[in-house]
Amino acid sequence: MLGDDVLFQTVSELAPQIRARKLSPVALTESCLARAAKYGPMLNAFARMTADLAMEQAHAAEKEIASGRYRGPLHGIPYGAKDLLATAGIGTEWGAAPCRGQVFDRDATVVRKLREAGAVLIGKCAMVEFAGCLGYRFPDASSSGPGRNPWNRDRWTGGSSSGSGAAVAAGLVPFAIGTETWGSILCPSAFCGITGLRPTYGRVSRAGGMVGSWTFDKIGPLARSAADCRLILQAIAGVDPEDPTSANEPVSLGSRGRPLRQIRAAMIPLDFEKTKMAEPEVKAAFTAAVSELSNAGLHVEIAKLPDFPASEMAGLIITAEALSTFEKFFRDGSVAQLKDRYAQHQPEINRAVGGPDLVKAWRMRRALQEKMAAFFDDYDVIVTPNFMSVAPPIDRDLYDTLPYADPAGGVGNACGLPAIALPCGFGAHHMPAGFQIMAAPWDEALLLDLGEVYQKRTTFHRERPPLAA
Amino acid sequence: MTARPRRSRVSRRRFMTLVAGASAAALVAPASAVRAAARRPLPRKSATPPATAAEIEKQKKYVAEALKVIRDYPLPPGSNMAFAFRPLRPARKK
């Protein structure tokens, strides 16, 4: 079996070795499967393993590479896919008890693209039930149990891509695919100390993925570095006739090569001192990260996001869309099987919302888009903390442990903006802290450039959790 | 919201009870007995635990607050929505 020194390498490091046939995809896959079997259950990282498929794909990759056909940097690389992405003939249960036994007969477009790139699917990553789109109060709102953080198993991974975060952080896979409606890629990335990329809405086809919220859902990578996120996004991005919301934008994700001095960053400070549960250690880590980027040459100015009730508007639209998409589970009563005890009451809780309110929210969303378009006339990127505290304990009410607002998340997800989550140190209890950089639509390449610059100057993305069996 | 159940004067459960009661009773009983069956009170729905009920009320309050913010936000009449409806071209057979 391969050791930690190999299993914690980035895709960018593994790929050349595979290409040169110095590293066997079969050996790498066997080692990932063994590590996942050892640590996966104690982290609740996987909803199910796909060992047979993985070995089949690994042998195929090895044979193909030996014959001189190298498909690219993901060829022979193991990965995990969030259990809301359909995989032909393999269970896809959306983290939810009412979907137990659910199997689709086709792969999601993302899974197909990764298969075509030669990647090896070793398992379906656990997740919060229905990706949290009906709300949840406790980390255990998942049919797989609570996502346990590799840095401290008594603390949460973040959600809803809980298994994707845990699996990458624990070295069970070099990368995983997650999704974000609001926070579900950035949150586990921050809490688990890994790098995650939320692409622009429409950048990645969602065909074959569970719909939580039609106009908010995005699919993206969780990985060990910004450079890896670039490779993965390159493989999964692009227009897809099966997803009418996928955009026909050019997929040019190579480095922009812009000198940092020419890039204008808006630093959005958050009030750690006056915010309940905000931690000074996380603020210090964020401040240091901004200094690092400034020292690298980035032009950073303190700025404010437009004054706009983005969170209220986004919350209303997501809830309305979720109540509609999961209508079947309310109608047949199976929503009561969800772990979150309030999910079944959401229609009653939201009864006061009327049709005109939803249309108003849609009009407000357009107004916010216009304000943000103007904002990005003045700035290229936004730099702001990701979460203001580290991963909370697994058994605590999330309303108590994460009570603060997420203004950047509200604006970013409502406007479909891309963002990258980068680890920037440690907070209380030696748990990872992270920050985010957000850009205008379709500017992922710039985010990845900045992420790479930052990670060339720091080693936080190289830290490994102290896992013990 | 389309997921919100439409409220009617007779709840679905009450309606189904009436239909089931009427169908079965009609086979064996005169009309007066059927009417009596229909008038019988329904078994009480299991009560929501007080803590859950309180939390539901709290969440309703959050929704009401968010709705006030949304309803109060000024927009010019006819301002655009964030998406545009497009007619769907038929996929014609060649």
Side-chain angles (χ1 to χ4, degrees):
Chain A
M1 287 295 141
L2 301 169
D4 286 10
D5 53 329
V6 176
L7 297 178
F8 275 95
Q9 287 183 15
T10 62
V11 174
S12 314
E13 291 161 343
L14 294 168
Q17 299 170 64
I18 288 175
R19 183 177 197 172
R21 298 173 60 190
K22 289 179 182 161
L23 178 62
S24 149
V26 171
L28 182 59
T29 300
E30 282 173 344
S31 297
C32 285
L33 284 169
R35 191 173 171 84
K38 185 176 177 184
Y39 293 116
M42 66 176 75
L43 300 169
N44 294 329
F46 288 98
R48 69 197 49 78
M49 302 306 298
T50 54
D52 291 345
L53 173 68
M55 290 314 300
E56 186 187 308
Q57 291 181 331
H59 279 289
E62 189 145 309
K63 200 170 155 190
E64 224 174 15
I65 294 165
S67 71
R69 190 182 171 217
Y70 181 68
R71 296 187 187 210
L74 301 186
H75 203 172
I77 302 285
Y79 80 102
K82 188 172 180 178
D83 198 33
L84 56 62
L85 297 168
T87 39
I90 296 166
T92 302
E93 297 180 342
W94 302 354
C99 300
R100 198 160 286 140
Q102 178 174 260
V103 180
F104 295 96
D105 59 4
R106 293 185 66 186
D107 285 340
T109 295
V110 167
V111 173
R112 174 180 60 77
K113 285 191 167 194
L114 288 170
R115 174 164 36 81
E116 290 168 358
V120 173
L121 179 67
I122 76 155
K124 303 295 290 292
C125 295
M127 57 181 280
V128 173
E129 55 196 10
F130 290 154
C133 290
L134 292 178
Y136 58 110
R137 286 285 290 270
F138 288 88
D140 73 348
S142 165
S143 56
S144 302
R148 292 184 178 272
N149 197 308
W151 288 90
N152 179 340
R153 295 200 295 273
D154 292 330
R155 287 180 178 266
W156 190 38
T157 49
S160 65
S161 306
S162 51
S164 303
V168 173
L172 314 186
V173 281
F175 77 93
I177 301 297
T179 67
E180 171 153 334
T181 303
W182 180 344
S184 292
I185 290 175
L186 264 55
C187 172
S189 298
F191 287 171
C192 294
I194 59 174
T195 306
L197 183 79
R198 177 185 80 211
T200 307
Y201 177 84
R203 173 67 93 183
V204 178
S205 165
R206 301 168 306 164
M210 181 200 85
V211 174
S213 166
W214 285 272
T215 66
F216 276 76
D217 296 343
K218 284 86 59 185
I219 297 177
L222 293 93
R224 298 230 166 80
S225 70
D228 283 6
C229 286
R230 193 191 301 271
L231 298 175
I232 300 154
L233 185 62
Q234 190 73 60
I236 62 177
V239 68
D240 177 12
E242 293 193 39
D243 177 0
T245 66
S246 65
N248 195 9
E249 288 284 327
V251 187
S252 50
L253 297 170
S255 173
R256 289 277 184 268
R258 278 174 70 184
L260 252 56
R261 287 266 167 233
Q262 292 177 10
I263 299 169
R264 299 154 303 167
M267 198 272 271
I268 311 290
L270 300 180
D271 192 347
F272 278 76
E273 285 73 23
K274 288 187 183 155
T275 303
K276 198 177 158 196
M277 301 304 286
E279 295 172 9
E281 298 92 338
V282 176
K283 182 186 178 182
F286 171 67
T287 305
V290 175
S291 295
E292 196 64 55
L293 285 167
S294 280
N295 293 340
L298 185 70
H299 179 78
V300 181
E301 280 176 35
I302 295 176
K304 269 182 75 178
L305 287 172
D307 186 20
F308 196 93
S311 297
E312 287 86 347
M313 173 267 286
L316 187 139
I317 295 173
I318 291 171
T319 302
E321 293 187 2
L323 285 172
S324 180
T325 190
F326 298 122
E327 186 182 19
K328 167 197 176 294
F329 303 100
F330 287 98
R331 201 184 314 120
D332 68 17
S334 60
V335 69
Q337 295 171 28
L338 293 177
K339 291 256 183 89
D340 184 84
R341 77 182 88 143
Y342 303 107
Q344 61 182 304
H345 299 291
Q346 285 304 318
E348 181 191 346
I349 289 165
N350 289 282
R351 188 158 291 150
V353 179
D357 298 319
L358 185 58
V359 174
K360 177 77 178 281
W362 273 106
R363 293 167 62 209
M364 288 171 68
R365 194 174 184 181
R366 173 67 189 199
L368 179 62
Q369 282 184 294
E370 288 167 3
K371 283 178 187 284
M372 288 310 294
F375 186 92
F376 282 115
D377 280 342
D378 296 331
Y379 300 101
D380 297 294
V381 293
I382 291 167
V383 182
T384 191
N386 194 344
F387 274 73
M388 298 170 84
S389 52
V390 298
I394 202 109
D395 54 350
R396 297 277 306 279
D397 185 334
L398 296 172
Y399 283 20
D400 294 334
T401 54
L402 303 172
Y404 43 82
D406 176 21
V411 168
N413 284 289
C415 295
L417 308 177
I420 190 166
L422 299 162
C424 63
F426 292 89
H429 314 286
H430 198 64
M431 294 300 291
F435 74 110
Q436 62 176 307
I437 311 176
M438 197 154 73
W442 319 113
D443 226 351
E444 289 93 341
L446 180 60
L447 294 179
L448 294 162
D449 287 350
L450 291 172
E452 286 192 37
V453 165
Y454 179 72
Q455 291 183 334
K456 275 186 185 137
R457 299 170 67 95
T458 58
T459 56
F460 301 118
H461 62 297
R462 294 279 183 192
E463 298 283 345
R464 301 178 195 171
L467 273 173
Chain B
M1 294 186 302
T2 50
R4 193 172 42 171
R6 287 192 179 281
R7 311 307 294 168
S8 61
R9 286 179 194 283
V10 181
S11 75
R12 181 173 171 78
R13 188 173 173 196
R14 174 84 176 145
F15 175 74
M16 292 309 289
T17 307
L18 289 171
V19 170
S23 309
L27 295 174
V28 295
S32 59
V34 174
R35 280 195 296 275
R39 279 198 301 269
R40 264 201 301 274
L42 286 168
R44 282 178 70 85
K45 209 176 162 184
S46 62
T48 309
T52 307
E55 177 58 31
I56 290 169
E57 288 310 311
K58 201 161 135 190
Q59 291 193 27
K60 279 184 185 172
K61 221 181 257 178
Y62 295 149
V63 172
E65 285 165 12
L67 277 178
K68 182 167 172 22
V69 170
I70 287 167
R71 288 171 183 170
D72 288 351
Y73 191 83
L75 285 174
S79 73
N80 282 331
M81 297 210 292
F83 69 89
F85 170 79
R86 286 193 185 87
L88 185 63
R89 194 188 298 275
R92 295 195 193 283
K93 290 177 186 165
K94 288 184 180 172

